[in-house]
Amino acid sequence: MIHLKDFWRTIRRTLTVFILGTTVAVFTCQAINPPFVIKHLGDGQSIVQIDEQKKFLLLPVEEASPEAKLYMIADNDVVRSMNVRLAVNKVDYFVPVDLTGFDNKHLSFNFQLIPDSALCWEEMKLSDEFDVSNREKYRPVYHFSPAYGWMNDPNGMFYKDGVYHLFYQHNPYGSMWGNMHWGHATSTDLVTWEHHGDAISPDALGTIFSGSCVVDKDNTAGFGAGAVIAFYTSASDRQVQSMAYSLDNGKTFKKYARNPILTSTQRDFRDPKVIWHEDTKKWIMVLAVGQEMEIYSSADLKSWTLESKFGEGQGAHGGVWECPDLLELPVEGTELKKWVLVCNLNPGGPFGGSATQYFVGTFDGKRFVNESPAVTKWMDWGKDHYATVTWSNAPAGRAIALAWMSNWQYANDVPTRQYRSANSVPRDLSLYTSEGETYVKVTPSPELLKLRDKGSKKRAFKVDRTYNLDKLLNDNSGTYEIEMTIKNKDADVIGFQLFNSKGEEVEMYYNLAEKTFTMDRTESGEVSFSKDFPAVTVAPVEGGNEMKLRLFVDKSSIEAFGNDGRFAMTNLVFPSEPYNRISFYAKGGSCNVTSFTVYKLGLK
Ligand code: FRU
């Protein structure tokens, strides 16, 4: 049965294994009777027939290879297709194709665009196991990251019966963008996550792009009271909107038979965010369409009426608008509430590439009106804060947001392999007013306090001295929070460096005259994987002589929250070892660090 070339390869491998003197018996036996047959058809096409029941076909990936097209066939029907960067010269890692659920069917694969000489033919294997234990030094400890494969936008976040659900743009067949599925994870505390595999997979309408979920308490759609309904973009050559519903709290979804529910002649037409509008008792869908948002309404979640468009002449337009959100938030210190339209933008962010802008105003169920069209507002002033959306149905009226912590300029190139990308820490949103203008305040969610270890230290700090954080924390994991208050006397610039023994550092400073906070990651460690990565990001800060700052440091990120969330700045960093030292400086005068606490952070 075995192809001659494969036979010689098999013999060669067996001999190599024999010479190396390792588990000869196991390998020999597997090689002589391979559980699949490979038939090359010429012109880069091959068929692989699976002859043994195993859970996974493990495919070797080489990220530098082009994508090969694979069709999975059960008996004679295509049941799945995917693009995989199959190994041609070397294996970077393996990805699993789930073979379960096809009992009594003969499984085979049709491979296209992959040469007969490629390494993948020798390396692919059947297995009942796929090892997801962490192999990455940059994998965050307390930020959500996928067990394996690529992740971008958070999707479909909803809360129900004490559980926070998080879905996300997932490629299960590689750690670069492609084959979009909705991955799924749950948490009861927003910091400890359980992975559940993919909840919504590509179909004949396309791959599954970003979107949202609602809990249909009153059964307006007719799928049942309390059904969880997902809205997503089906993406092929064209983008259309689809829905799926879950009757088991998001564990499994059934796609609505009459998809798509909304179409357009526009090419960029995506990322449905659905909310309930109490005043008009209607569902509202906001869609990103080119450089505008379209607002639709519906009584039954299935048929939608276009109410208005928003965007022309408003805010930043350096790229397409994506991943909208629409929510009503209280204005701090008043009885007022205002509407916020969140609009992610790529490219065109303040420091290049992706960023989250927002508009504050009114919404009457039909039309959003921006109260200050002349001002562009950014939710975060770092380079790695994108696709921000909030949880639907969150408890106690909270508005809890999550961002994808990367930037399309280099997201595919960051130095991790087993997985790529993590989310920001969860953040509670509210509004505050400064000099007549209303802004979003971004506060780290209170659940993050739970990560603080008891062994944390409060210190009296002196400027112009270096402190060793490892010693203060009795720990060198590099995952900590620093909370500090600085009082300026007469300095022009007050700052500090976080650094390690390799001379890698991140510098942060306040410029009191210019009223700015800056984070400089140009010397932060591995920066050369993209010309856009070494960057200096700057946030405007309000005046005043007292500066409060909270810094969340994880294995490959720093998030800064100033003055109780009046500014936020999120940046990735890839130090070769953790930043375990800090030293303060003041220029042109002096200041006091009146309080400084460093907390070790970790999951319990
Ligand atoms: C934003 C985005 C969305 C789209 C998704 C595809 O990062 O481009 O607009 O739905 O990613 O993965």
Side-chain angles (χ1 to χ4, degrees):
M1 287 262 281
I2 185 166
H3 193 285
L4 196 60
K5 198 154 77 190
D6 298 313
F7 176 72
W8 286 116
R9 262 196 205 131
T10 302
I11 295 293
R12 203 173 64 213
R13 188 171 67 180
T14 310
L15 287 176
T16 318
V17 169
F18 185 73
I19 290 161
L20 290 174
T22 37
T23 49
V24 182
V26 175
F27 263 80
T28 308
C29 141
Q30 195 185 5
I32 281 176
N33 182 18
F36 50 79
V37 179
I38 300 171
K39 291 177 177 162
H40 296 305
L41 312 176
D43 289 336
Q45 300 201 38
S46 304
I47 289 176
V48 172
Q49 295 183 317
I50 310 286
D51 288 329
E52 195 178 303
Q53 269 204 342
K54 291 272 181 189
K55 281 194 187 142
F56 303 110
L57 174 64
L58 301 183
L59 296 172
V61 171
E62 179 180 357
E63 290 201 336
S65 297
E67 286 182 327
K69 182 108 205 154
L70 273 70
Y71 295 93
M72 178 170 162
I73 298 162
D75 287 352
N76 297 292
D77 295 322
V78 173
V79 289
R80 229 177 267 162
S81 68
M82 64 271 293
N83 300 313
V84 186
R85 294 177 189 276
L86 284 170
V88 176
N89 299 307
K90 71 175 172 74
V91 180
D92 290 330
Y93 49 82
F94 284 85
V95 292
V97 181
D98 188 345
L99 302 178
T100 57
F102 298 97
D103 295 350
N104 306 320
K105 299 229 174 194
H106 176 71
L107 291 180
S108 61
F109 283 81
N110 190 329
F111 286 70
Q112 302 196 350
L113 305 170
I114 187 85
D116 299 0
S117 59
L119 183 64
C120 63
W121 305 119
E122 279 182 57
E123 293 288 337
M124 67 178 61
K125 49 193 171 222
L126 288 165
S127 174
D128 282 329
E129 310 284 328
F130 177 63
D131 182 10
V132 292
S133 50
N134 183 40
R135 300 193 295 273
E136 299 279 352
K137 77 170 179 174
Y138 291 129
R139 189 189 282 275
V141 168
Y142 59 89
H143 290 80
F144 178 80
S145 61
Y148 68 95
W150 163 273
M151 176 177 84
N152 56 297
D153 318 354
N155 293 153
M157 288 143 41
F158 74 92
Y159 173 88
K160 189 167 185 264
D161 302 338
V163 180
Y164 291 92
H165 290 256
L166 164 66
F167 300 86
Y168 53 92
Q169 288 285 278
H170 186 219
N171 182 1
Y173 304 119
S175 298
M176 296 170 85
W177 186 84
N179 305 303
M180 295 331 296
H181 291 57
W182 274 24
H184 184 206
T186 52
S187 172
T188 52
D189 63 5
L190 291 169
V191 289
T192 322
W193 291 97
E194 196 185 329
H195 292 282
H196 299 293
D198 293 312
I200 308 184
S201 304
D203 56 33
L205 287 177
T207 53
I208 313 298
F209 273 18
S210 290
S212 57
C213 281
V214 295
V215 180
D216 187 13
K217 293 174 189 159
D218 298 329
N219 194 20
T220 59
F223 299 126
V228 176
I229 306 188
F231 298 86
Y232 57 89
T233 302
S234 296
S236 55
D237 180 47
R238 295 284 155 174
Q239 300 179 348
V240 297
Q241 314 316 321
S242 296
M243 68 196 273
Y245 59 95
S246 171
L247 304 178
D248 57 7
N249 280 349
K251 266 196 213 103
T252 56
F253 280 88
K254 188 162 173 45
K255 288 170 181 155
Y256 178 49
R258 290 183 58 84
N259 283 335
I261 53 166
L262 208 51
T263 63
S264 165
T265 53
Q266 299 278 322
R267 274 199 165 269
D268 289 308
F269 177 66
R270 58 179 179 265
D271 308 341
K273 172 73 190 197
V274 177
I275 61 161
W276 174 250
H277 187 249
E278 185 56 36
D279 289 357
T280 54
K281 301 260 183 289
K282 285 255 177 84
W283 295 103
I284 302 297
M285 180 190 287
V286 190
L287 272 170
V289 188
Q291 293 196 13
E292 283 188 325
M293 296 303 180
E294 288 185 356
I295 298 177
Y296 294 78
S297 71
S298 170
D300 65 359
L301 291 166
K302 292 173 180 158
S303 60
W304 294 90
T305 309
L306 178 65
E307 298 288 359
S308 65
K309 297 184 184 191
F310 173 85
E312 213 186 311
Q314 314 272 338
H317 284 271
V320 283
W321 287 16
E322 301 183 314
C323 302
D325 202 345
L326 182 60
L327 59 161
E328 199 180 20
L329 292 176
V331 185
E332 194 175 78
T334 73
E335 297 289 298
L336 281 179
K337 281 184 159 191
K338 290 187 178 184
W339 283 87
V340 174
L341 180 61
V342 178
C343 167
N344 292 280
L345 167 80
N346 180 64
F351 310 104
S354 327
T356 307
Q357 67 174 327
Y358 64 90
F359 307 94
V360 179
T362 57
F363 177 63
D364 61 2
K366 290 179 182 292
R367 198 167 293 277
F368 176 83
V369 180
N370 179 8
E371 66 178 25
S372 38
V375 192
T376 300
K377 297 174 180 173
W378 301 105
M379 197 179 283
D380 188 287
W381 295 86
K383 273 200 80 146
D384 300 297
H385 179 274
Y386 195 56
T388 316
V389 283
T390 59
W391 256 276
S392 181
N393 200 37
R398 284 172 68 185
I400 312 166
L402 203 61
W404 172 49
M405 203 157 48
S406 197
N407 188 314
W408 281 115
Q409 285 180 327
Y410 44 71
N412 277 291
D413 307 314
V414 298
T416 62
R417 273 278 163 80
Q418 183 187 21
Y419 79 97
R420 250 195 211 98
S421 294
N423 287 332
S424 70
V425 292
R427 299 149 183 223
D428 278 44
L429 306 182
S430 58
L431 293 170
Y432 72 98
T433 302
S434 172
E435 294 175 6
E437 199 60 57
T438 306
Y439 297 97
V440 169
K441 186 167 163 183
V442 183
T443 316
S445 295
E447 283 81 354
L448 292 163
L449 297 173
K450 186 184 140 175
L451 296 170
R452 291 177 174 180
D453 190 89
K454 284 197 207 73
S456 308
K457 289 276 165 26
K458 201 168 183 118
R459 284 290 304 211
F461 247 71
K462 292 214 173 81
V463 174
D464 292 328
R465 282 238 336 241
T466 295
Y467 292 87
N468 188 321
L469 298 170
D470 285 0
K471 281 210 187 117
L472 285 177
L473 293 172
N474 202 11
D475 172 71
N476 60 3
S477 62
T479 57
Y480 49 84
E481 178 192 344
I482 293 175
E483 193 174 32
M484 63 174 101
T485 306
I486 305 171
K487 283 214 172 93
N488 185 29
K489 282 196 198 135
D490 49 6
D492 301 326
V493 175
I494 299 170
F496 56 92
Q497 292 101 354
L498 271 179
F499 60 103
N500 62 23
S501 71
K502 298 277 191 312
E504 297 163 351
E505 64 165 42
V506 177
E507 182 169 355
M508 287 170 245
Y509 53 89
Y510 288 92
N511 184 318
L512 285 316
E514 289 174 8
K515 296 189 187 166
T516 54
F517 172 83
T518 296
M519 195 187 300
D520 180 342
R521 70 170 178 198
T522 53
E523 314 268 318
S524 56
E526 252 185 275
V527 298
S528 60
F529 54 87
S530 160
K531 69 171 179 28
D532 295 311
F533 189 78
V536 178
T537 59
V538 185
V541 299
E542 292 163 84
N545 279 333
E546 186 175 282
M547 287 147 284
K548 288 207 274 181
L549 190 63
R550 278 177 81 184
L551 293 177
F552 287 84
V553 181
D554 204 336
K555 298 284 185 187
S556 49
S557 61
I558 300 180
E559 288 154 287
F561 298 90
N563 289 354
D564 300 316
R566 289 179 170 228
F567 73 83
M569 185 180 283
T570 302
N571 282 317
L572 291 176
V573 284
F574 298 98
S576 58
E577 58 183 48
Y579 308 117
N580 59 0
R581 270 160 234 185
I582 188 167
S583 60
F584 279 87
Y585 62 84
K587 290 182 187 163
S590 63
C591 71
N592 284 323
V593 181
T594 54
S595 90
F596 181 95
T597 312
V598 53
Y599 302 92
K600 178 183 165 184
L601 296 187
L603 300 178
K604 301 288 173 318

